[in-house]
Amino acid sequence: MFDAHVHIIDPRYPLIENEGYLPDPYTIADYRKRMSRFDIGGGAVVSASFQGADQAYLKAALAELGEGWVGVTRLDLDASDEEIVELDRVGVRALRFNLKRAAADITQMTLQALRAHELVGWHVELYMDGQMLASLQPVISKLPALSVDHLGMSEEGLPYLLDLVDRGARVKATGFGRVAMNVADTLRRIHAVNPQALMFGTDLPGTRAGRPFRDSDVDLICDVVGVDMYAVLEDNARSFYRLPARERPTNDPAPTLPLHRTEQPTLPLRRDELPRIEPADTIPFPAIE
């Protein structure tokens, strides 16, 4: 599995109060303990509003998590080309536009996104209520690649989200405890438009969510997408974050073996070796009148 949306809250690094809120620590050790029953082969550490544009925590997290992990960051608008290239070198692969909990100059952010894509191929990840997608259409249309967090958050924004999906946008199947929609139906409709769109993530630790990630969220995804579960749980995100595909055995790892034969097989008999049956007298049937 590839967890495309994780927040690491390391108490060694400063936080910024956001709307009067500061989260509790959630370390890499906490994450690994919570997900110990799953085969996590990588993921994306996503910078949250209370982490501002701090890159130190993100660099430390990616260094500790190792191969297969990437970062999604927020940048100061005056960040230099050199800073972007350095962040790409340590594993950052995308910019996050938090339009739900942070004021922003969307025009300047768009220009920055275009510069980052030209320099190192980064995409943009949008955290907003889906109802905003219609008003942001002129801006969004300029972005070369993007994904939308948490299924777009609301039922009202779904038509606009599906239109973006039809044009190549990705959608994170995350944060089921923070959305106002029928999750199964939304997953089904997105998947029907583009089977490569959905990317699984836990959204752990689920700060300010109605409820955090549950193991049953994975079961729900698998029930909806069926045979495409590997794509949604891992392959789509690995491709989007420009990571190598994960190889899986194509053959049955434990095939059914033939039974060991302990006796000689039955051989056909020659016709002249068949047992002879003595002819019996023919007994006529009684006449029936």
Side-chain angles (χ1 to χ4, degrees):
M1 293 170 65
F2 186 94
D3 189 342
H5 202 95
V6 182
H7 298 291
I8 298 299
I9 306 166
D10 190 328
R12 298 175 298 173
Y13 298 92
L15 299 175
I16 302 169
E17 188 175 287
N18 180 260
E19 298 178 351
Y21 176 80
L22 280 176
D24 294 328
Y26 192 77
T27 64
I28 291 174
D30 294 328
Y31 174 77
R32 285 172 170 163
K33 181 179 179 181
R34 170 65 183 86
M35 298 300 289
S36 59
R37 67 169 295 230
F38 293 100
D39 177 20
I40 303 294
V45 178
V46 179
S47 291
S49 57
F50 42 74
Q51 289 163 321
D54 175 39
Q55 309 301 328
Y57 100 90
L58 186 56
K59 291 179 179 179
L62 294 178
E64 183 176 344
L65 287 163
E67 186 178 359
W69 286 85
V70 299
V72 179
T73 194
R74 297 178 66 202
L75 282 180
D76 290 327
L77 292 176
D78 60 357
S80 67
D81 290 357
E82 291 75 18
E83 183 178 356
I84 293 173
V85 171
E86 171 60 18
L87 288 171
D88 184 75
R89 186 189 66 80
V90 300
V92 176
R93 292 292 179 268
L95 281 170
R96 193 186 197 207
F97 289 1
N98 187 333
L99 304 179
K100 185 174 177 64
R101 302 192 188 279
D105 184 335
I106 188 64
T107 301
Q108 291 301 312
M109 291 173 72
T110 302
L111 293 174
Q112 183 185 68
L114 292 171
R115 180 162 57 97
H117 185 270
E118 183 178 347
L119 281 170
V120 289
W122 287 2
H123 64 265
V124 169
E125 305 201 350
L126 300 175
Y127 178 31
M128 64 175 73
D129 192 298
Q131 296 179 71
M132 298 176 65
L133 291 174
S135 60
L136 290 173
Q137 195 76 10
V139 172
I140 291 172
S141 64
K142 292 180 172 64
L143 299 174
L146 77 150
S147 69
V148 179
D149 290 351
H150 313 317
L151 300 177
M153 300 294 294
S154 69
E155 196 84 45
E156 291 78 9
L158 187 55
Y160 307 107
L161 181 65
L162 293 176
D163 180 62
L164 285 176
V165 170
D166 191 41
R167 289 186 279 142
R170 307 299 179 96
V171 180
K172 290 193 176 182
T174 60
F176 295 172
R178 64 170 83 242
V179 302
M181 56 176 53
N182 182 313
V183 172
D185 181 64
T186 301
L187 290 169
R188 189 174 294 107
R189 293 178 68 180
I190 293 170
H191 187 66
V193 173
N194 183 0
Q196 296 180 330
L198 288 170
M199 304 185 297
F200 161 76
T202 61
D203 187 36
L204 285 170
T207 55
R208 290 188 277 196
R211 67 158 178 87
F213 166 76
R214 295 173 181 166
D215 293 358
S216 58
D217 292 343
V218 175
D219 298 330
L220 173 61
I221 292 171
C222 292
D223 288 344
V224 170
V225 303
V227 296
D228 287 334
M229 65 178 182
Y230 285 127
V232 175
L233 295 180
E234 183 166 29
D235 298 344
N236 290 346
R238 291 185 70 88
S239 173
F240 196 55
Y241 287 106
R242 295 180 285 127
L243 293 168
R246 188 174 181 181
E247 294 184 4
R248 298 187 187 88
T250 55
N251 297 325
D252 187 348
T256 302
L257 300 176
L259 293 174
H260 178 65
R261 213 181 270 282
T262 57
E263 299 178 356
Q264 291 293 325
T266 303
L267 299 176
L269 293 175
R270 291 168 42 187
R271 184 178 296 275
D272 58 3
E273 293 177 347
L274 292 174
R276 296 181 179 277
I277 302 175
E278 294 297 328
D281 293 335
T282 301
I283 302 175
F285 283 107
I288 299 175
E289 295 183 5

